[in-house]
Amino acid sequence: MFFKPTNLIGCVEETMGSCKVPYSVLLLYFVIGTFFVSQRFAIGADTNITAQLLVNASDAAGRPIPDTLFGLFFEEINHAGAGGLWAELVSNRGFEAGGPNVPSNIDPWSIIGSESSLIVSTDRSSLFERNKVALKMEVLCDSEGTNVCPVGGVGVYNPGFWGMNIQNGKTYKVVLYVRSSGAINVSVSLTDSNGLQTLATANIIASASDVSDWMKVEVLLEAKASNPKSRLQLTTTIAGVIWFDQVSVMPLDTYKGHGFRSDLVEMLTDLKPRFLRFPGGCFVEGEWLRNAFRWKASIGPWEERPGHFGDVWMYWTDDGLGYYEFLQLAEDLDTLPIWVFNNGVSHNDQVDTSSVMPFVQEALDGIEFARGDPNSTWGSLRAAMGHPEPFDLRYVAIGNEDCGKKNYRGNYLVFHSAITQAYPDIKMITNCDGSTQQLDHPADFYDFHIYTSANDLYSKAHRFDHTSRNGPKAFVSEYAVTGTDAGTGSLLAGLAEAAFLIGIEKNSDIVEMASYAPLFVNANDRRWNPDAIVFNSSQLYGTPSYWVQRFFTESSGATILDSTLQTNTSLIASAITWQDSNDGNNYLRIKIVNFGGDKVNLTIDVGGLDPNSIQLSGSTKTVLTSGNLKDENSFNQPKKVTPTKTLLENAGTEMNVILLPHSFTSFDLLKESSIIRTTGTDSSSRASF
């Protein structure tokens, strides 16, 4: 992910010098201009633009598309993981976000009660060596006497990440560590944002001897009502001193029980990704190396993980979503992990090549953790975490956007040599672009990132047409339309990206992988616009950029056909054949972007097939468009710009179709050789949308 703001804008502003013009002349210009503008729109409305698409669907004309072509890139940005994909509801669960020195800031934890009833502070008495800060609560009031606690008690509450989404009937697991100077009776409650309505509650009652040292407590809370802005409360009415540490609330119904927010993961599964690149991005580099993501600090029991401040995107993460969880997510998505690790380079400091070996060893240890025998040093730790079988790690990226920095090439070569010797089958990805000139160092893939305007990305559909087919393959790991064209996710951005992806699809003999960026944004913390999936604690929607990717879910592993457009420059098209794994049906999919403002009468001629090889029923047309190029989806209108799917009545090897202005259209033609189903489901319900 590019960090510098100059990379966010894909447009150029033009300014004109001022001049003085008589009013009568201005009026004349206005009248004449109005006439010609009105005529231009009148002509545009009646324009009959025609085009022809020729598709060679013969078996000999096809070329296999790599199985890995389209996938996902996840970066911890916009609270994509912490407060998003990772289902932990408590923010700053270990009280470490305020730093190691005490007293410290406990934000977003807040106090329930007045200074006369309790004093809340932090100290370094935690049970866990790598995160020593704990919360200390001195309760001054009591259930009786001169200083009686208020009704409901005193204590602390945590609002989570802009509110916890608590749902009626669902169960939530609360885990916390507690110790005290005496007996305790602590209420653990899920309430509304003001603490006035209790959604679920339970009490922790323990004798002084039970809590004289740290005690782990687990409580299951079943919600009796719903509220997307809930909070966790820890309260008491008994005087004394209580310490809390590592307080967690997780819903029980996470994706496959692995801690991921189910509705967000389901949005990913619908994309049918073939790889998952993680965990960044700039998140891997850090503004400074001391704040870069370190995989060893992100594994093991969650209570023991120290967490860290991500100084690029400027927020704390407890690193519950760590290296192990990313590998698990890739496996749960049935996709291949691509691990991006730090190569001793950040945005502002870097390790000299002569001193980089500790970073190299850290990478080797990380590969062993993922792939090593369960009896190996790091493989045994993976096994202890519940995964004795190795993860299928085949790809690693050495750094992120570091090409051109002083020590990158030297560091890269040391990494490459060591990994090749230890793991000769691992495919390595360099940060240096090899699409226009030959690389001066060995690599299996080169990384290509592009963030630009809509017009420029549309033109980049031909970016790889003349790239050398010799040497490393291309990995387009980050692409998007940004700036004013994109807003927070516009139709215009989606159309340009669709054209770019068609170009990648047609050049998939050199481009073997591609992924959009960023993947997620929590609407409460937009660090980058636009993004594919927008969410808050309880809602989510896909931007047009997300829906564009849904058109390409069947492309990986399909067959690309030779297709040629004639007579129109506002169109770009591709054609593939693919088989539906659910029913065995075979389809010819033709995708076309109309980037222009006029409708187009398109003739599609499919050669290489018998004229009767396309079934008259079961074929479909899917269109993505809207009334305005800048239209966006939102929580109020989550499907304002989404694909519309209909049956295609004139399916055949020769078709005349109309392409709407500013649209992306896919035709799925059911081939006659497919299995004809006679029961239950209609073939039009099968697929990508």
Side-chain angles (χ1 to χ4, degrees), residues 76 78-94 97 107-109 158-165 228-232 247-250 261 315-321 522-525 535-538:
E76 182 58 89
N78 305 319
H79 275 88
L85 184 66
W86 189 241
E88 173 62 63
L89 297 179
V90 177
S91 178
N92 189 17
R93 68 184 177 191
D107 186 69
W109 291 89
N158 187 290
F161 300 89
W162 303 280
M164 300 179 180
N165 183 34
K229 296 288 188 180
S230 302
R231 71 191 199 186
L232 171 71
V247 182
S248 168
V249 179
M250 289 280 276
R261 181 171 153 179
Y315 60 88
W316 174 266
T317 60
D318 289 315
D319 290 335
L321 180 57
N522 188 314
N524 296 286
D525 187 37
F535 66 90
N536 58 26
S537 70
S538 60

Side-chain angles (χ1 to χ4, degrees), residues 462-604:
H462 301 287
R463 179 67 173 76
F464 295 94
D465 287 2
H466 305 293
T467 296
S468 172
R469 266 49 183 172
N470 299 320
K473 301 295 185 180
F475 179 15
V476 182
S477 68
E478 300 182 30
Y479 73 86
V481 172
T482 54
T484 55
D485 286 350
T488 58
S490 68
L491 171 66
L492 175 59
L495 293 178
E497 290 157 5
F500 181 66
L501 292 185
I502 284 177
I504 284 178
E505 192 176 62
K506 298 180 80 167
N507 283 287
S508 55
D509 56 330
I510 182 63
V511 182
E512 287 203 359
M513 294 184 284
S515 50
Y516 178 91
L519 183 59
F520 287 117
V521 59
N522 188 314
N524 296 286
D525 187 37
R526 286 185 177 273
R527 305 277 166 158
W528 184 287
N529 289 312
D531 310 89
I533 300 170
V534 184
F535 66 90
N536 58 26
S537 70
S538 60
Q539 299 168 290
L540 74 166
Y541 64 85
T543 63
S545 297
Y546 170 84
W547 290 105
V548 162
Q549 294 174 66
R550 291 282 292 268
F551 282 75
F552 293 86
T553 55
E554 310 300 344
S555 295
S556 300
T559 299
I560 187 76
L561 303 176
D562 184 36
S563 58
T564 306
L565 271 168
Q566 298 180 345
T567 72
N568 193 284
T569 58
S570 71
L571 304 182
I572 185 168
S574 68
I576 65 170
T577 56
W578 64 280
Q579 185 178 63
D580 189 339
S581 59
N582 294 320
D583 55 26
N585 284 345
N586 294 300
Y587 292 88
L588 169 62
R589 174 172 290 182
I590 298 171
K591 298 187 292 293
I592 310 163
V593 174
N594 181 5
F595 203 60
D598 297 300
K599 70 178 182 180
V600 176
N601 295 310
L602 178 68
T603 300
I604 300 176

Side-chain angles (χ1 to χ4, degrees), residues 342-369:
N342 190 289
N343 68 102
V345 177
S346 77
H347 287 176
N348 291 301
D349 61 341
Q350 49 189 299
V351 174
D352 189 84
T353 299
S354 62
S355 305
V356 81
M357 274 310 299
F359 287 80
V360 175
Q361 189 59 52
E362 187 164 299
L364 293 172
D365 292 344
I367 297 173
E368 181 179 284
F369 176 86

Side-chain angles (χ1 to χ4, degrees), residues 227-363:
N227 192 312
K229 296 288 188 180
S230 302
R231 71 191 199 186
L232 171 71
Q233 293 189 171
L234 304 175
T235 57
T236 186
T237 58
I238 299 178
V241 183
I242 305 175
W243 287 263
F244 293 110
D245 197 15
Q246 297 299 332
V247 182
S248 168
V249 179
M250 289 280 276
L252 287 188
D253 62 342
T254 60
Y255 190 77
K256 295 190 176 182
H258 290 148
F260 307 110
R261 181 171 153 179
S262 294
D263 57 347
L264 293 179
V265 178
E266 287 163 3
M267 292 279 283
L268 304 184
T269 61
D270 287 343
L271 292 175
K272 301 182 180 179
R274 297 303 182 94
F275 64 83
L276 174 67
R277 177 181 181 243
F278 66 86
C282 296
F283 183 71
V284 170
E285 300 167 275
E287 280 296 301
W288 300 92
L289 283 171
R290 63 177 176 267
N291 292 320
F293 177 80
R294 299 297 176 89
W295 76 267
K296 288 182 180 178
S298 76
I299 62 170
W302 61 267
E303 303 97 325
E304 298 177 10
R305 302 181 189 185
H308 79 289
F309 178 72
D311 62 353
V312 176
W313 306 120
M314 300 302 289
Y315 60 88
W316 174 266
T317 60
D318 289 315
D319 290 335
L321 180 57
Y323 182 44
Y324 175 89
E325 286 75 21
F326 282 117
L327 292 167
Q328 184 64 66
L329 177 61
E331 184 174 276
D332 288 350
L333 292 171
D334 193 23
T335 194
L336 294 172
I338 300 178
W339 179 34
V340 185
F341 54 72
N342 190 289
N343 68 102
V345 177
S346 77
H347 287 176
N348 291 301
D349 61 341
Q350 49 189 299
V351 174
D352 189 84
T353 299
S354 62
S355 305
V356 81
M357 274 310 299
F359 287 80
V360 175
Q361 189 59 52
E362 187 164 299

